[in-house]
Amino acid sequence: MLQIKNLHTSVEGKEILKGISIDVKPGEIHAIMGPNGSGKSTLANVLAGHEKYQVTEGEIIYEGENLLEQAPEERAKNGIFLSFQYPIEIPGVSMVNFLKTAVNEHRKHKGQEPLSASQFLKLMEEKKKVVEISSQLTNRSVNEGFSGGEKKRNEIYQMAMLEPKLAILDETDSGLDIDALRVVAKGVNALKSPENATIVVTHYQRLLEYIVPDYVHVLYDGKIVKSAGKELALELEEKGYDWIKNES
Amino acid sequence: MTETIKYTATEELAELFTQNREMYEEGCPGFMNRVRSDALEKFVKAGIPSRKNENYKYTDLRPVFQNDFSVLPRYVQQQVDLHEMFHCDVPQLNTHLVLLINGWYYGHNRKIGQLPDGVVLGSLNHVAREHPHLIEKAYNQLAGKSDDPIANLNTAMAKDGLFLYVPDNVTIDKPIQIVNLLYAKENTFAVQRNMFVLGKNSEATIVFCDHTLNNNYYILNNLSECFPEEDSRFNFYAVQNMHNGAVNNTHFFADLKARANLHTNTLTLNGGVVRNNLNIKLKGEYAHADLNGLALADEEQHIDNFIAIDHSVPNCTSNQLYKNILDEQSSGAFTGRIHVLRDAQKTEAYQRNNNVLLSETAEMNTKPQLIIDADDVRCSHGATVGRIDEDALFYLRTRGINEKEARLMIMFAFADEVLSQVNIKVLRQRLEELVNRRLRGELGPCQSCSFNRRN
Ligand SMILES: Nc1ncnc2c1ncn2[C@@H]1O[C@H](COP(=O)(O)OP(=O)(O)OP(=O)(O)O)[C@@H](O)[C@H]1O
Ligand SMILES: [Mg+2]
C-alpha cells in the first residue's frame, strides 16, 4: 500500500530525514516512536504533502503511484489522512462548512453525488456519536478556542467523517484523558479493515494497548534505528532510548 | 534629475468656481450660498492634499485632480431612463429605492413607497428651497468645522444630494437604498451633498451604492452630514463599486446626541482611488458608534479609510473594525484616531484593523492614533498586516479541499467578520454573496451593467 524508500527530507536547507524505508501493507498498523526532534512529524507532514519539506532523495509509492507528485488535496482524496500533532485553528471557517466541503470533495472524487444538507447533517450526527464529540464544538469555527484534547478529538471526528484508507496519527494521544484515549482508539479501530492501514506516532505504550501495532519503528536522528513487533514499545517504555542509540 | 510635475488643479478649480459662481448659486437658498466663499478660501489655502498634509500621508490626491474633467453646476437631463438602464445587485431587497445621478437627485425617480407620516426623503436642493426650516440651522454645521480641503471644496460647490428627515419616535422599517450613479458623456467631477436628520427616538437605515455606468473618468466628492438626536438609531451602509479608474471621495460627519446609536459599514468592492473620511463626535452621554469597513482590492486600486472619533462626554462607547484584503499592486491605508476629551470619563473605545496581503507588491499602511485626556477610560487598538495563513491552507487541503477553494474559504472567513456586523439579515446575505463573487473574481464594478473595468 505504502512504500517509503530511502527517504531524505530537508527543511530550510537542514536535513531532517536521512534515509527512511518503511513498507506498509493493507490491514497493518505501524507505530513510530522516537525521542523529541527525531523527525516523526516531519515524516507525517511529508506523507501529507507539506510543501515546506523538500524531498531530496528517495521515493514514496502509494497504491502503485508516485505520492510525491500529488498535491495534498489529491492525497487526501486518494485516502490519506493526517491527524495533526498541533491542529490548526481557522477562525471564521465553520466546522459544518469545512466538513461539508471536504466530504463532498471526497465524494466527487469517487464519482458520487454531493450530499444534500440534510444527508450531511445526518452523517455528522452519526459520526459525532462514534467519537463522542459535542455539538458545541461542531457548531464553532474549525478548532477555534478548542482545548488541546478537544482538538485531538476533532481530528478523529474528521477522520471518521472522511473514512481514509491510510490514517497517520501524529501524537493524537498526547494531552488526552483516559476517556478520550479510548475514543481515539474506538475511532481508529472502527476503520480497521483488511484494506486499510494506520501509522501511529506516539511516545506512549498506553495507546498501543488499545491500538495494537504489527510493527514498531524507532526513529532517531532522521533514521529508523530499530524495527520490531509490538513488544518493542514495552521495552522502550522501560528502558528509554539510550540503549538503542548505543546499538545503532 | 527627476521631472517635477506642477499641480495646478487647486487654482484651476478655484477659478472654475469663481467664474461660474452665479451658476453655482442659482436655485440655492441663501444659507447654502453664504458658506461658499469661506469654504473655497479654506480649500485654496490648504490646497488639494498631498502627502505633506498629515491626514493624507498615504494618499496624494493631486494627480487625481490633474486630469481633465467637467463639473456640473446645473442638473443635466438624462436621455435614457436610468431605471431601465440600471439594476443594482444589492436590491432584490425590499427597499425604498432612490437614484442619484452625478450627485444630483434623479428627476425621474419612481414614486417612493409608503413612508411613515412626517418623513421627508428627497432632493436636498428641493427641500432646501421648499422646506428650508428643516435644513437651514444644521446645514454645514459639521462640515464647516472641518479643515479637510476636499470637504471644503464640497461645501463651496454643493448644490444637491439626498435629504432625509425622520421625525421623533418614527421608525422606518425598510432600508432606504440610494444608488449614486455616475454617468456622463465626458469625464466628470461630481459633487454630492447629503443630510440625514434623525429625530429623537427615531430609526432609519440607509444603503448607499456607488456605481459608474460607463468608463469615463469620474471623481465623486460625496459629503454627508448626519444628526442623530437623543435615542435615535441610524444604520449607514455604503457599497462602493465604481470602476477602477474612478475616484471616490466620501465624507461622513455625525454628531451623536445622548444614547444615539450609529452603525456604519463601508464595503469597498471596486474603485480606483477611494478615500473615506468618517468624523464622528459623541456629544451626549451613552451614545454609541460602531464603525466597520471591508475593502477588497487588486490591480492598482488604492483604498484609504480615515476615521476620527471624538469622545466628548462621559459614558460613550465606540468600536471600529476595519479589514482589507489586498492583491496585486493595490494599496490600502487605515487611520483610526480616537480622541477622548478630558471630561469623557468611563469611555470605552475599541479599534481593530486587520489586513491580508495576497501579493508581494500589495501594500498596507495602518496607523492607530489614541489621544486620551481622561483617566478613567478603556481603550484598545490592534493592527495586523499578514499573509494568508499557510498552515491553515495546508490543513484544509489535507482534508481534500483544493487550494483555490481553501484560499477562498480562509479569505471569506476573514472578510465575513466585518459582514457579520451587518444587522439586517437579507442585506448581510446579499453582501456576503457580493463579497464571495468579488473574491472569486466574478464581480466587475457592476455585475448587471455590461460596462466593466476600465482597462
Ligand atoms: N520548519 C522547520 N524549520 C526548521 N527546523 C524544523 C522545521 N520543522 C522541523 N524542524 C526540525 O526538524 C527536527 C524534527 O522535527 P519533528 O517535528 O519532525 O520532530 P518530532 O520527532 O515530531 O518531535 P516531537 O516528538 O517533539 O513531536 C527538529 O529538530 C525540528 O526542530
Ligand atoms: Mg512531532
Side-chain angles (χ1 to χ4, degrees):
Chain A
M1 175 175 221
L2 179 77
Q3 289 100 35
I4 305 171
K5 295 179 194 163
N6 188 30
L7 180 71
H8 288 252
T9 303
S10 53
V11 57
E12 286 158 19
K14 179 182 155 204
E15 184 165 60
I16 294 171
L17 300 182
K18 303 168 179 171
I20 288 190
S21 300
I22 300 176
D23 192 357
V24 180
K25 297 203 175 61
E28 290 180 349
I29 294 178
H30 289 241
I32 296 180
M33 303 181 80
N36 295 133
S38 56
K40 303 180 298 296
S41 295
T42 303
L43 176 62
N45 276 297
V46 170
L47 289 173
H50 203 304
E51 281 152 14
K52 200 165 64 187
Y53 301 91
Q54 283 153 351
V55 174
T56 50
E57 209 183 317
E59 59 179 352
I60 307 176
I61 307 295
Y62 173 68
E63 298 202 308
E65 305 212 16
N66 182 357
L67 188 70
L68 295 174
E69 277 177 0
Q70 298 175 16
E73 55 269 32
E74 292 175 76
R75 301 181 193 201
K77 287 183 281 191
N78 288 329
I80 294 182
F81 180 89
L82 169 61
S83 168
F84 283 67
Q85 182 175 3
Y86 304 110
I88 312 293
E89 300 195 12
I90 315 181
V93 174
S94 75
M95 279 293 294
V96 175
N97 187 23
F98 159 62
L99 279 174
K100 191 165 181 228
T101 312
V103 166
N104 281 335
E105 285 293 327
H106 276 73
R107 292 180 65 86
K108 194 160 93 191
H109 183 72
K110 290 183 199 140
Q112 296 165 330
E113 290 289 308
L115 291 182
S116 70
S118 68
Q119 286 170 320
F120 175 73
L121 290 178
K122 220 176 115 202
L123 180 69
M124 270 188 91
E125 288 308 312
E126 199 180 294
K127 300 296 183 185
K128 256 191 237 171
K129 289 200 193 95
V130 178
V131 300
E132 299 167 32
I133 193 166
S134 85
S135 300
Q136 271 161 14
L137 293 182
T138 56
N139 286 338
R140 304 222 308 245
S141 291
V142 178
N143 292 324
E144 193 185 21
F146 286 28
S147 77
E150 287 168 344
K151 283 180 184 164
K152 297 299 175 77
R153 204 182 273 245
N154 190 23
E155 296 292 286
I156 298 306
Y157 178 55
Q158 292 169 44
M159 184 180 81
M161 292 287 290
L162 298 174
E163 301 186 330
K165 286 190 225 163
L166 174 65
I168 304 155
L169 310 183
D170 190 358
E171 296 199 28
T172 304
D173 53 335
S174 302
L176 287 188
D177 60 39
I178 294 291
D179 285 347
L181 201 64
R182 193 179 38 76
V183 166
V184 167
K186 197 166 115 192
V188 172
N189 290 327
L191 279 179
K192 200 169 154 61
S193 82
E195 289 84 47
N196 295 346
T198 308
I199 297 174
V200 199
V201 175
T202 182
H203 286 293
Y204 307 104
Q205 151 67 18
R206 207 175 51 166
L207 179 68
L208 303 179
E209 281 169 13
Y210 295 95
I211 306 170
V212 183
D214 300 293
Y215 298 95
V216 176
H217 308 280
V218 179
L219 194 58
Y220 176 73
D221 190 22
K223 281 182 266 200
I224 295 201
V225 292
K226 195 169 178 70
S227 295
K230 63 171 190 271
E231 63 290 346
L232 178 56
L234 270 175
E235 214 173 338
L236 290 170
E237 187 119 311
E238 273 169 37
K239 301 201 230 164
Y241 290 111
D242 280 350
W243 62 282
I244 297 185
K245 288 182 203 171
N246 298 338
E247 225 170 67
S248 66
Chain B
M1 248 194 61
T2 52
E3 196 184 340
T4 47
I5 305 166
K6 186 162 160 37
Y7 292 101
T8 53
T10 301
E11 295 76 42
E12 282 173 18
L13 275 164
E15 181 77 15
L16 188 74
F17 173 77
T18 313
Q19 275 174 7
N20 295 293
R21 182 154 191 145
E22 248 171 64
M23 236 196 285
Y24 275 106
E25 299 200 341
E26 167 191 289
C28 291
F31 67 84
M32 283 180 84
N33 292 335
R34 276 195 293 275
V35 292
R36 295 188 196 278
S37 298
D38 187 40
L40 186 80
E41 206 174 296
K42 277 156 84 180
F43 164 71
V44 172
K45 207 167 146 211
I48 292 170
S50 71
R51 287 166 194 267
K52 282 203 194 109
N53 181 325
E54 188 56 29
N55 292 348
Y56 282 83
K57 215 169 154 192
Y58 305 114
T59 304
D60 186 354
L61 285 180
R62 290 173 308 168
V64 155
F65 281 91
Q66 204 59 24
N67 283 299
D68 284 334
F69 49 76
S70 310
V71 288
L72 296 167
R74 277 193 180 127
Y75 180 67
V76 178
Q77 289 292 336
Q78 293 299 313
Q79 304 302 312
V80 291
D81 181 354
L82 293 176
H83 287 284
E84 289 294 317
M85 175 157 186
F86 176 75
H87 299 277
C88 177
D89 278 335
V90 178
Q92 302 173 6
L93 273 175
N94 190 8
T95 57
H96 298 289
L97 182 70
V98 178
L99 300 188
L100 274 82
I101 173 80
N102 304 326
W104 292 81
Y105 195 83
Y106 179 44
H108 297 275
N109 260 306
R110 294 195 177 143
K111 199 172 163 349
I112 301 165
Q114 192 65 45
L115 287 164
D117 278 351
V119 170
V120 179
L121 172 67
S123 149
L124 179 104
N125 183 282
H126 178 83
V127 178
R129 281 184 286 121
E130 302 299 317
H131 314 282
H133 64 282
L134 286 176
I135 299 191
E136 185 162 7
K137 269 212 216 98
Y139 185 79
N140 205 38
Q141 288 307 301
L142 310 184
K145 295 195 185 83
S146 169
D147 54 10
D148 184 285
I150 306 301
N152 280 303
L153 182 62
N154 184 291
T155 302
M157 294 185 157
K159 292 208 69 170
D160 198 11
L162 186 84
F163 177 81
L164 170 70
Y165 167 73
V166 190
D168 294 352
N169 302 312
V170 168
T171 292
I172 305 178
D173 289 324
K174 276 196 208 175
I176 299 165
Q177 190 189 3
I178 312 300
V179 180
N180 301 315
L181 297 173
L182 290 161
Y183 181 55
K185 290 203 180 65
E186 30 184 29
N187 298 343
T188 298
F189 173 44
V191 175
Q192 180 175 334
R193 182 79 171 207
N194 318 294
M195 219 164 134
F196 311 118
V197 182
L198 286 115
K200 290 178 185 144
N201 189 36
S202 69
E203 178 166 352
T205 297
I206 293 260
V207 184
F208 259 26
C209 299
D210 305 332
H211 289 280
T212 40
L213 289 188
N214 63 19
N215 281 343
N216 285 333
Y217 184 73
Y218 293 101
I219 305 173
L220 176 62
N221 179 346
N222 197 352
L223 188 152
S224 303
E225 289 182 293
C226 177
F227 302 90
E229 297 293 322
E230 283 85 356
D231 299 291
S232 63
R233 298 163 299 280
F234 186 54
N235 301 310
F236 182 75
Y237 299 104
V239 181
Q240 305 184 319
N241 206 13
M242 288 161 62
H243 70 63
N244 283 357
V247 179
N248 201 354
N249 219 308
T250 75
H251 313 262
F252 185 89
F253 294 89
D255 275 15
L256 275 67
K257 295 275 181 63
R259 298 170 304 279
N261 196 316
L262 171 71
H263 180 107
T264 71
N265 206 321
T266 308
L267 174 60
T268 310
L269 295 168
N270 285 291
V273 176
V274 179
R275 161 82 176 204
N276 299 308
N277 301 281
L278 270 81
N279 275 274
I280 312 298
K281 293 192 165 72
L282 304 170
K283 292 199 151 172
E285 287 197 46
Y286 299 99
H288 173 72
D290 196 8
L291 314 174
N292 305 281
L294 169 67
L296 312 177
D298 53 19
E299 298 186 347
E300 314 242 301
Q301 284 184 266
H302 176 73
I303 291 148
D304 182 352
N305 283 297
F306 189 96
I307 289 128
I309 178 156
D310 281 8
H311 283 256
S312 317
V313 297
N315 291 311
C316 292
T317 49
S318 68
N319 204 2
Q320 299 171 43
L321 174 64
Y322 274 76
K323 288 190 166 189
N324 290 287
I325 299 179
L326 304 171
D327 199 359
E328 299 179 353
Q329 278 81 252
S330 65
S331 52
F334 173 80
T335 305
R337 184 182 295 162
I338 300 173
H339 187 179
V340 181
L341 283 82
R342 217 185 51 189
D343 295 330
Q345 303 297 356
K346 306 265 183 234
T347 285
E348 283 187 36
Y350 304 109
Q351 176 191 100
R352 187 150 57 84
N353 172 236
N354 303 119
N355 306 286
V356 173
L357 304 182
L358 298 178
S359 71
E360 294 295 322
T361 41
E363 193 187 306
M364 180 69 205
N365 284 294
T366 173
K367 192 167 93 177
Q369 283 185 332
L370 270 62
I371 309 162
I372 300 177
D373 298 328
D375 41 34
D376 184 12
V377 300
R378 289 167 72 178
C379 289
S380 74
H381 66 87
T384 58
V385 181
R387 305 205 170 263
I388 279 234
D389 182 349
E390 292 293 329
D391 289 330
L393 196 60
F394 178 61
Y395 189 81
L396 294 177
R397 293 177 74 190
T398 63
R399 294 338 185 209
I401 300 169
N402 71 49
E403 186 180 355
K404 183 172 168 233
E405 209 56 42
R407 258 179 213 287
L408 284 166
M409 275 174 118
I410 293 169
M411 283 194 286
F412 187 79
F414 175 82
D416 198 43
E417 191 191 0
V418 176
L419 300 179
S420 67
Q421 308 295 318
V422 174
N423 39 32
I424 301 164
K425 194 173 163 213
V426 273
L427 179 63
R428 183 172 63 238
Q429 288 168 343
R430 288 295 297 156
L431 295 181
E432 284 176 342
E433 213 175 298
L434 284 177
V435 165
N436 202 351
R437 290 207 332 248
R438 176 67 176 83
L439 286 172
R440 286 172 188 277
E442 293 166 5
L443 182 82
C446 178
Q447 188 70 3
S448 314
C449 35
S450 53
F451 311 101
N452 230 295
R453 286 172 191 225
R454 190 184 166 91
N455 297 315

